[in-house]
Amino acid sequence: MTITAAAPPTRGGPADLALGLVTGAVIGGSLTAFISGCVVGEVSLIVLGLALPSAYGLVFFLATSPRRAREAAVVPRTALALIESLEAVGGEASDVPVRFELSVAPDDAPAFRVEIRQDVNLVELADYRPHGIVVVEYPPDRPWKTRIVRRPTPDWEERAAGARVDSAPGPAMRSDSPEGCAAGFLTLIGLLLGVTAVLVLFHADLFDRDEGTGGASPRPSASSSSTTTVTSATGTVTLGPGRSMLDPGQLRRAVESLTRDADKRRALTLVVQERLLTVVFSPGGTSGFDPRSLPYDRVPALVDKAGTGVDSPRGWQLTADGVTGRLTLRIVVTGDGGAGSLEADAHGKVLRRSGS
């Protein structure tokens, strides 16, 4: 009888490499999203970190269901096998992983040699020895998945007791054939791509967040181009280049960024320049004025009116003073060779004006 050896499936094909790449991307992306979401308190990132691997696992399960159903429908064959060699490869528990090299001799098919790894109980380890005969089962279409039957039927146990099996020629098929470095490398690349994708897509949530800490530490305001500093006595807002406190809604937002942590915080003095707001808070919190009560919508017009007649205006300053109990706004506009000023009440009504 001619003896032939079956061949295990080729690993590292395009499908396996693509699967490794996608798996690495899912692992890297989900871990990065979950950890980043926990650090910055972003719920959407936490949900993404949990949902991504779940969705991937579901898709993988559904995609491989037909193949697993076909494999489960194959009836395994039972045969006798000769133990060519065996070696315990580690483990200190009751079950020890053992590497077996077997010559399998089916009744109605060519013999073949296979190398498998199977856990064996310490108590039963002495029952397996080189050149001993064992009963095995294997799928006819996947002989590299051969497994030793620990409790064979009486008929097969009787056959194994008096059988003689010749060695099959090599090389031996391996049930745990290494996949090579290409698959591992692509999995690593996929992991890095997943991490990069999350950091790029959620850059704004991770790096441009409001990190206000109170006290005297600077904190970014609602705009990434401004800096807010608050202490128990003062508060300042500095705008970045190209910004102005006269921009629509800018002065109101700046004042609210200094008072949002204390609804009833009052001010003694408020000074506004082109890109700088400074507020001196009332120590007791009872005297002074509410800085949010300023006539914000009137400020740009008041600055224009104060600068009427001033040659080449170069700067302006608004001072709101409530020390005497009555809020007064004083605006000074400076220019080449002169200055203009005016005084207004709490509603923005001009009380007096002087020019250069």
Side-chain angles (χ1 to χ4, degrees):
M1 178 177 64
T2 303
I3 298 175
T4 59
T10 302
R11 303 211 179 175
D16 293 330
L17 296 179
L19 180 62
L21 181 66
V22 175
T23 301
V26 171
I27 294 174
S30 59
L31 285 178
T32 304
F34 182 78
I35 295 174
S36 300
C38 292
V39 171
V40 303
E42 184 65 38
V43 177
S44 61
L45 284 173
I46 298 176
V47 172
L48 177 63
L50 296 175
L52 187 60
S54 300
Y56 177 71
L58 178 60
V59 171
F60 182 80
F61 176 80
L62 295 176
T64 57
S65 291
R67 176 180 60 80
R68 288 184 286 105
R70 290 193 303 269
E71 292 178 353
V74 177
V75 179
R77 288 181 179 175
T78 305
L80 298 178
L82 172 68
I83 300 178
E84 300 285 356
S85 64
L86 73 159
E87 178 186 4
V89 292
E92 299 178 355
S94 58
D95 288 340
V96 179
V98 179
R99 183 167 53 239
F100 291 91
E101 186 169 340
L102 306 172
S103 288
V104 182
D107 291 339
D108 55 355
F112 60 90
R113 184 176 290 221
V114 64
E115 184 179 300
I116 65 171
R117 181 177 297 192
Q118 184 169 335
D119 291 342
V120 177
N121 191 279
L122 282 173
V123 178
E124 301 174 350
L125 188 59
D127 298 336
Y128 301 98
R129 61 189 183 280
H131 308 298
I133 306 299
V134 292
V135 180
V136 298
E137 285 186 346
Y138 66 94
D141 57 339
R142 286 164 289 126
W144 52 88
K145 290 187 175 293
T146 298
R147 306 298 294 170
I148 296 175
V149 180
R150 292 184 176 182
R151 298 290 183 267
T153 64
D155 291 342
W156 279 101
E157 190 172 6
E158 183 178 352
R159 287 186 58 181
R164 180 179 180 278
V165 177
D166 295 329
S167 296
M173 294 178 291
R174 298 174 181 267
S175 60
D176 54 351
S177 301
E179 298 184 1
C181 62
F185 178 74
L186 281 179
T187 301
L188 176 61
I189 293 297
L191 187 112
L192 296 177
L193 290 176
V195 172
T196 303
V198 171
L199 296 180
V200 171
L201 293 175
F202 296 92
H203 180 274
D205 294 324
L206 295 175
F207 303 108
D208 297 333
R209 299 177 58 84
D210 185 355
E211 299 176 355
T213 57
S217 301
R219 66 186 184 193
S221 68
S223 169
S224 60
S225 60
S226 63
T227 302
T228 302
T229 304
V230 181
T231 69
S232 60
T234 62
T236 61
V237 175
T238 305
L239 300 181
R243 307 289 298 280
S244 171
M245 289 293 178
L246 297 179
D247 293 340
Q250 181 60 65
L251 180 57
R252 182 188 300 272
R253 290 193 297 270
V255 172
E256 290 178 349
S257 70
L258 298 178
T259 58
R260 60 187 173 189
D261 295 333
D263 292 340
K264 298 182 179 180
R265 203 168 196 185
R266 302 181 70 81
L268 295 177
T269 305
L270 181 149
V271 179
V272 185
Q273 296 176 339
E274 182 68 17
R275 292 168 47 197
L276 178 66
L277 164 67
T278 303
V279 179
V280 178
F281 296 111
S282 172
T286 56
S287 59
F289 63 95
D290 185 353
R292 296 168 298 179
S293 65
L294 294 179
Y296 297 105
D297 297 337
R298 290 279 300 149
V299 171
L302 292 176
V303 173
D304 288 341
K305 193 173 187 66
T308 301
V310 177
D311 294 336
S312 302
R314 295 186 178 276
W316 61 274
Q317 176 175 299
L318 180 151
T319 303
D321 188 352
V323 178
T324 61
R326 183 173 63 90
L327 180 62
T328 303
L329 306 181
R330 297 181 178 85
I331 299 177
V332 177
V333 178
T334 58
D336 293 342
S341 64
L342 62 77
E343 185 175 311
D345 61 14
H347 303 289
K349 180 180 178 181
V350 178
L351 302 177
R352 59 184 62 87
R353 177 180 174 276
S354 61
S356 56

